Amino acid sequence: MSDVAEAVTRAHREEWARVVAALTKRFGDLDVAEEAAAEAFATAVEHWPAEGVPPNPGAWLTTTAVRKAIDRIRRENKRDDKHKEAQAVYDDDPPEPLGAIDDDRLRLLFTCCHPALAMEARLALTLRMVGGLTVPEITRAFLVGESAMGQRITRAKAKIKAARIPYRVPSAADLPARVSGVLAVLFLVFNEGYLATGPDTDPVRHDLTAEAIRLTRLVRALLPDDGEVAGLLALMLLIEARRTARVSATGDLVPLDEQDRGAWDKALIAEGHRLVRERLATGQPPGRYQVLAAINAVHTSARDVRDTDWSQVVALYDQLVRLDPSPVVALNRAVAVAELDGPEVALATVDRLDAQLAGYHAYHVARADLLRRLGRSRESRAAYDRAIALAGNTAEITYLTRRRDQLAPWHRPRPPRERHPPRRPGRSGVR
Amino acid sequence: MQYLLSVVTDSTELATDEEMAAIDVFNSRLQTEGHWVFAGGLAGPDAATVVDNRGEQPVVTDGPFVETKEFLIGFWIIEAADLDVALALAVEGSRACNRKVEVRPFL
């Protein structure tokens, strides 16, 4: 890539949200902001090769985008409200001084993740307006038709305008609830990348996991004191660190205990551990993401799976159950309990979750594994079949099929118990 | 900016005394804080009549305009700076009348 092309790419990554946010604040309209920002970047692609990269690309892009927006408003407003035009175009109020935090991008993020929007719309809008992904890129990420995704974004923007969803950072009283909504969106993006669904996608979508991490870093820069933001970032880093070890050369999913720990990304693990320690040192009670990060920190601290401190893992799951008493968390806890108290105890817990989780593939994966370890091959096979039917990730299906086919026929004597049976604790668990 | 807060229900039972008292408290709050525009309760769909005069002759039909399990039983029209303010009031309103409330902006 040429230096200029690289500078444009970098500016897009680093400045897109700032340009959109600044324009939204000035013109109060996401459509105007988005299109003007896109035009400004197109202009940069045209002009920078000949004129050179400006010393402050962000300021250049914002100024250019403001001009483009004014041109557009003038063109469109020829026929109607002259008054509004005058207001928008000649608003020369000096920009509000920035405080310790960069308010504009934060406002943009909270607007895109407003609870009055459907979850899919929040995801799409955040990736477009804050992440700068194009509609075709978002479409590829979520496997819906391009027109459907375009409509989803258009509809969300229209609702923001018509219902007057405010462009502001929520009040202190509303902040924790609203931040958790933003983090839920980012974690969904990450998970879609980490366990991509669909027969034609790569099993791991690094573009999505990287984008989720980048946006979470941005939120952390904007809200450095929020423990759950730090927790989610640590969680993502510690999962991402294992990415390359998680799929074999033949496209099989490699469970945690079979992964080559030497292939884990040491820098990401170190950063994740640092964040977890930092949160522990505050002495404040942790939220869900911080506990999940701590669980992952225990796993990534063990040089060998045999060194895993299972009692600490189970203790952390106990804490998680108190914060989030959902059946999925109970399932993940049971999988850890199997390591501490054996598969029989764990299976009793897992079986009690049947009514709630019968449609969830990870439930059948966990059961299949526990039954296999107990030598109940026939039941295990049936559970693997259910799991395979419900799983959406290609690498996981390959892996589960292999495990099922390795099962001893049910009438054979009970096979010796493996020392390190695989665990597949599902989306909020450890992979 | 005005919003319509529609009270949605699936039963024509009238508000209980307790609900009426809570609604009164909510209404006076709307008035003192400057959100109040108008409010009213409605009779159930059994009392509805639909008039269609788009053709040559006006047609008058007994019953509501759509057949649904849920229907409108009352409403508030409020003045609010933005959706967050309207939603916060709707949260109070729903609690007061003990029914679901839909929030929609006026154009």
Side-chain angles (χ1 to χ4, degrees):
Chain A
M1 210 179 340
S2 73
D3 286 354
V4 174
E6 208 177 305
V8 173
T9 308
R10 188 170 348 107
H12 193 266
R13 205 167 50 231
E14 290 170 4
E15 306 291 348
W16 169 272
R18 210 189 299 272
V19 176
V20 172
L23 265 80
T24 307
K25 186 177 168 192
R26 162 120 190 215
F27 297 101
D29 187 311
L30 287 176
D31 274 322
V32 169
E34 181 200 339
E35 284 180 31
E39 277 185 74
F41 278 94
T43 311
V45 171
E46 248 173 68
H47 286 238
W48 291 4
E51 294 164 16
V53 178
N56 184 344
W60 188 98
L61 287 161
T62 307
T63 310
T64 307
V66 167
R67 281 201 206 108
K68 298 281 179 196
I70 290 173
D71 287 349
R72 199 180 111 119
I73 291 167
R74 284 204 173 118
R75 272 199 313 275
E76 285 180 0
N77 279 15
K78 278 267 149 44
R79 47 202 154 75
D80 52 54
D81 204 345
K82 291 285 176 195
H83 178 67
K84 239 193 243 163
E85 176 196 353
Q87 246 185 350
V89 177
Y90 302 108
D91 169 21
D92 275 334
D93 290 347
E96 285 170 37
L98 288 181
I101 56 167
D102 171 357
D103 270 351
D104 283 359
R105 282 183 298 177
L106 205 51
R107 284 180 210 195
L108 184 63
L109 195 65
F110 280 115
T111 305
C112 293
C113 294
H114 196 277
L117 300 171
M119 196 44 138
E120 303 85 50
R122 288 186 228 171
L123 273 171
L125 206 56
T126 303
L127 289 174
R128 175 73 198 123
M129 306 305 290
V130 187
L133 271 65
T134 62
V135 172
E137 282 169 339
I138 301 169
T139 305
R140 273 200 300 283
F142 292 99
L143 302 165
V144 298
E146 200 166 306
S147 65
M149 185 57 80
Q151 272 166 18
R152 197 177 279 174
I153 295 176
T154 307
R155 210 188 142 267
K157 285 194 288 198
K159 179 165 181 183
I160 289 170
K161 202 194 263 187
R164 202 178 288 182
I165 287 180
Y167 187 59
R168 68 158 170 254
V169 177
S171 65
D174 294 334
L175 199 60
R178 293 288 306 279
V179 170
S180 79
V182 170
L183 298 183
V185 166
L186 297 176
F187 199 35
L188 272 177
V189 174
F190 184 86
N191 269 321
E192 186 49 38
Y194 204 69
L195 200 66
T197 47
D200 301 322
T201 51
D202 288 337
V204 180
R205 299 279 318 276
H206 176 53
D207 52 343
L208 283 182
T209 57
E211 184 59 24
I213 289 173
R214 188 175 76 85
L215 292 175
T216 309
R217 282 191 193 283
L218 171 64
V219 178
R220 172 148 167 83
L222 299 170
L223 297 168
D225 299 328
D226 189 296
E228 280 294 84
V229 176
L232 180 61
L233 179 59
L235 175 62
M236 287 180 181
L237 294 173
L238 292 174
I239 298 176
E240 178 76 357
R242 306 196 292 267
R243 178 170 57 86
T244 50
R246 206 170 127 265
V247 179
S248 73
T250 52
D252 272 32
L253 199 75
V254 183
L256 182 65
D257 57 316
E258 292 175 20
Q259 286 172 16
D260 170 10
R261 297 188 172 216
W264 289 355
D265 187 321
K266 290 182 190 61
L268 291 182
I269 289 177
E271 191 186 353
H273 285 186
R274 200 162 54 239
L275 282 165
V276 171
R277 277 197 304 273
E278 203 180 293
R279 287 310 311 163
L280 279 174
T282 66
Q284 289 164 16
R288 181 170 160 261
Y289 294 120
Q290 291 166 82
V291 176
L292 281 169
I295 291 169
N296 276 272
V298 175
H299 283 292
T300 46
S301 295
R303 246 169 286 140
D304 186 287
V305 65
R306 276 167 297 197
D307 302 333
T308 306
D309 185 348
W310 288 109
S311 59
Q312 206 185 340
V313 171
V314 171
L316 286 164
Y317 271 118
D318 288 341
Q319 207 174 348
L320 191 59
V321 167
R322 285 195 292 275
L323 291 167
D324 175 9
S326 71
V328 172
V329 171
L331 177 71
N332 291 326
R333 183 185 172 278
V335 170
V337 164
E339 301 303 320
L340 207 60
D341 302 330
E344 202 148 10
V345 178
L347 185 64
T349 309
V350 168
D351 280 341
R352 279 198 295 274
L353 301 168
D354 183 74
Q356 291 153 291
L357 294 181
Y360 180 48
H361 86 280
Y363 165 76
H364 298 283
V365 175
R367 271 197 87 232
D369 182 53
L370 294 170
L371 288 164
R372 183 184 58 75
R373 288 157 67 178
L374 291 166
R376 291 158 65 176
S377 301
R378 191 166 51 110
E379 292 162 273
S380 175
R381 183 184 305 276
Y384 274 120
D385 285 339
R386 284 293 297 146
I388 292 163
L390 291 166
N393 181 272
T394 48
E396 186 169 24
I397 291 169
T398 314
Y399 163 75
L400 292 171
T401 308
R402 181 168 63 80
R403 296 267 22 164
R404 182 196 60 193
D405 295 345
Q406 283 169 348
L407 279 174
W410 64 271
H411 55 270
R412 280 210 197 139
R414 179 181 160 147
R417 184 176 180 269
E418 280 178 34
R419 269 163 70 203
H420 310 301
R423 275 160 279 103
R424 292 283 305 111
R427 288 212 155 190
S428 64
V430 175
R431 300 187 288 265
Chain B
M1 179 100 179
Q2 291 187 342
Y3 293 87
L4 172 67
L5 309 191
S6 307
V7 178
V8 183
T9 187
D10 57 5
S11 144
T12 49
E13 274 174 42
L14 294 175
T16 63
D17 289 347
E18 213 173 298
E19 285 161 1
M20 268 328 294
I23 291 168
D24 285 342
V25 171
F26 179 61
N27 285 343
S28 35
R29 184 192 150 186
L30 289 179
Q31 282 157 356
T32 48
E33 292 179 8
H35 295 296
W36 174 269
V37 179
F38 188 79
L42 297 172
D46 285 354
T49 312
V50 172
V51 174
D52 184 353
N53 194 22
R54 294 170 301 178
E56 284 174 18
Q57 295 282 329
V59 179
V60 175
T61 321
D62 173 31
F65 67 106
V66 279
E67 293 291 340
T68 56
K69 207 166 136 297
E70 293 183 312
F71 48 85
L72 187 72
I73 198 72
F75 62 90
W76 284 278
I77 296 169
I78 59 157
E79 186 66 55
D82 57 46
L83 186 66
D84 279 355
V85 177
L87 290 178
L89 292 168
V91 165
E92 297 291 312
S94 167
R95 169 73 65 190
C97 69
N98 194 26
R99 286 171 177 84
K100 285 201 285 188
V101 173
E102 182 201 76
V103 179
R104 273 165 78 181
F106 278 82
L107 287 176

